[in-house]
Amino acid sequence: MTKHVNHICIHKDCIIFGDQVIPFGKDDIEKDFTFIISDVLDYVVPLVKEGDIIVCGEGESKRMLGRKLEDRLGREVIYK
């Protein structure tokens, strides 16, 4: 049996998670993190399944989102 991988890819203007496009991107996260992080987590957390969580993207946004996911889910995030 193969292990499921939750791959979250942060682009400049959106986040791609599976077949979902989340309307917040790198620029939003790095500019207005305090104001939008709860919205981003509200989109992402219900989609996370068992298995690894991989976050990729540019800049500080991947670490910023990854840390909040680790806190919310109580699971380790892998950064690519």
Side-chain angles (χ1 to χ4, degrees):
M1 182 159 82
T2 58
K3 191 180 196 182
H4 183 80
V5 175
N6 298 280
H7 186 212
I8 302 164
C9 191
I10 304 171
H11 296 274
K12 182 176 179 164
D13 59 352
C14 68
I15 297 171
I16 306 292
F17 186 6
D19 61 355
Q20 300 290 315
V21 177
I22 301 164
F24 300 104
K26 171 192 169 299
D27 292 344
D28 300 312
I29 293 170
E30 291 179 2
K31 180 181 173 194
D32 295 319
F33 181 76
T34 307
F35 299 107
I36 68 157
I37 191 59
S38 62
D39 291 336
V40 173
L41 292 174
D42 287 347
Y43 275 100
V44 172
V45 169
L47 301 174
V48 174
K49 298 178 180 162
E50 291 297 319
D52 292 339
I53 302 168
I54 297 174
V55 178
C56 70
E58 299 177 19
E60 288 298 308
S61 61
K62 72 179 171 186
R63 294 243 182 246
M64 295 165 83
L65 178 58
R67 286 186 199 118
K68 289 297 182 180
L69 282 170
E70 288 176 334
D71 291 345
R72 177 78 63 95
L73 298 170
R75 293 165 55 191
E76 182 179 359
V77 169
I78 300 166
Y79 300 97
K80 297 274 179 162

